Amino acid sequence: MDLGLRGKNVLVFASSKGLGKAAAQAYAQAGANVMLTSRSLENVKEAAKELQKDAEGKVLFTICDVSKKEQIEAAVKETVEQFGGIDVLVSNAGGPPPGTFETVTEEDFEWAYQLTLMSVVRSIKAAHPHLKASKGKVVLITSSSMKEPVDGLLLSNIYRMGLVGLNKTLAKEFAPDGILINAIGPGRIDTERVRTLDAIKAEKQDKSPEEMKAASEAMIPMGRYGEPHEFGNAVLFLGSGLNSYITGQHFLADGALTSAY
């Protein structure tokens, strides 16, 4: 099936591993030119090498810490210089650290604000002129916490919900220019971050990570964690030519785990 992405230019933030990498791989395999970013040169260089094997277009990379405004702007500039424009922006960032109201500090709040909320604002702000020119698409990778708070993830719960308001507002502002924007959050996808969170919970409950995973899977109606490529395919659809009228929406890829609408 032609997804209308051959020759299109896609910038995926925080894409050397995890969900960002899965999204980038989906676009690369669909024929798009893809720019990867990461704080780690070693990680992003290796990811680009891996993704290029199955890619039809170019897979390039640049260094970017998404908590830094100037680095976001530099990544957008590099993408435009290398590809000639931006058709799809996938905004992504590693999740803020776990914690409760009693354990997180004001410094934690500020850092999570820069990482989780302002990274999205800044990436869209920097890419907006180019998206306006291409009538492009924005996909925000968020979390299931944008619909239902997750125990022990206070910072994510706060700032992911802020992205809901941003998404809804920008959908209306961008629609006259033909720009579509949507958010998608993962449930329990088998990534390094989820394995780390499982390990933290397991230690607190004096269980093994395997026992914690089994307990988590028992709560998912589909009975298993999602695979990264399954999430990547959902991100791919929202930025593809098959999506021509969906905007301002908030989706979950969670195997029916979340009860909230």
Side-chain angles (χ1 to χ4, degrees):
M1 180 183 293
D2 184 5
L3 300 178
L5 286 166
R6 286 185 176 84
K8 298 294 185 180
N9 305 312
V10 182
L11 170 57
V12 186
F13 280 101
S15 46
S16 67
K17 57 185 179 180
L19 300 179
K21 181 182 177 183
Q25 185 170 33
Y27 281 101
Q29 291 176 344
N33 300 316
V34 180
M35 180 66 76
L36 308 180
T37 84
S38 172
R39 290 175 296 178
S40 167
L41 176 60
E42 181 181 356
N43 288 347
V44 75
K45 186 176 181 179
E46 184 61 31
K49 182 179 178 181
E50 178 185 340
L51 267 56
Q52 186 67 75
K53 294 177 182 178
D54 299 322
E56 292 187 28
K58 298 177 182 178
V59 179
L60 303 180
F61 62 88
T62 189
I63 297 299
C64 179
D65 179 345
V66 296
S67 68
K68 309 294 185 183
K69 177 182 178 181
E70 64 277 7
Q71 293 191 29
I72 290 175
E73 293 173 345
V76 169
K77 182 180 179 181
E78 178 71 9
T79 303
V80 174
E81 289 178 350
Q82 292 291 338
F83 295 155
I86 298 176
D87 298 287
V88 182
L89 171 68
V90 180
S91 184
N92 183 41
T100 65
F101 190 76
E102 290 187 340
T103 62
V104 298
T105 65
E106 285 198 16
E107 289 75 16
D108 293 330
F109 271 100
E110 178 60 29
W111 185 78
Y113 169 70
Q114 298 295 334
L115 176 72
T116 308
L117 181 60
M118 288 308 299
S119 67
V120 178
V121 173
R122 289 165 176 158
S123 64
I124 297 173
K125 178 75 77 171
H128 181 249
H130 310 290
L131 294 166
K132 191 173 181 179
S134 65
K135 297 185 183 300
K137 297 181 176 71
V138 181
V139 185
L140 312 181
I141 295 180
T142 62
S143 165
S144 62
S145 60
M146 69 176 171
K147 286 181 174 283
E148 187 172 280
V150 179
D151 291 345
L153 295 183
L154 173 71
L155 297 173
S156 179
N157 295 339
I158 292 171
Y159 295 119
R160 305 290 192 186
M161 289 185 177
L163 292 176
V164 172
L166 178 69
N167 187 39
K168 279 292 187 182
T169 302
L170 294 186
K172 291 182 179 293
E173 292 187 10
F174 289 177
D177 293 321
I179 301 173
L180 306 183
I181 178 171
N182 291 283
I184 181 165
R188 306 295 290 179
I189 308 296
D190 193 12
T191 62
E192 181 179 331
R193 174 169 168 80
V194 168
R195 290 190 289 272
T196 297
L197 292 175
D198 280 350
I200 292 172
K201 290 182 180 179
E203 184 176 357
K204 289 181 178 180
Q205 299 181 26
D206 196 23
K207 295 180 179 179
S208 70
E210 292 75 21
E211 290 175 318
M212 184 56 60
K213 180 181 180 182
S216 294
E217 288 180 325
M219 299 173 63
I220 302 171
M222 288 191 68
R224 64 176 177 85
Y225 282 7
E227 295 295 328
H229 77 269
E230 294 177 302
F231 184 84
N233 286 338
V235 177
L236 175 68
F237 166 75
L238 291 173
S240 75
L242 297 181
N243 177 24
S244 58
Y245 200 62
I246 299 171
T247 190
Q249 302 306 305
H250 308 88
F251 301 96
L252 295 182
D254 70 346
L257 173 63
T258 306
S259 298
Y261 291 102

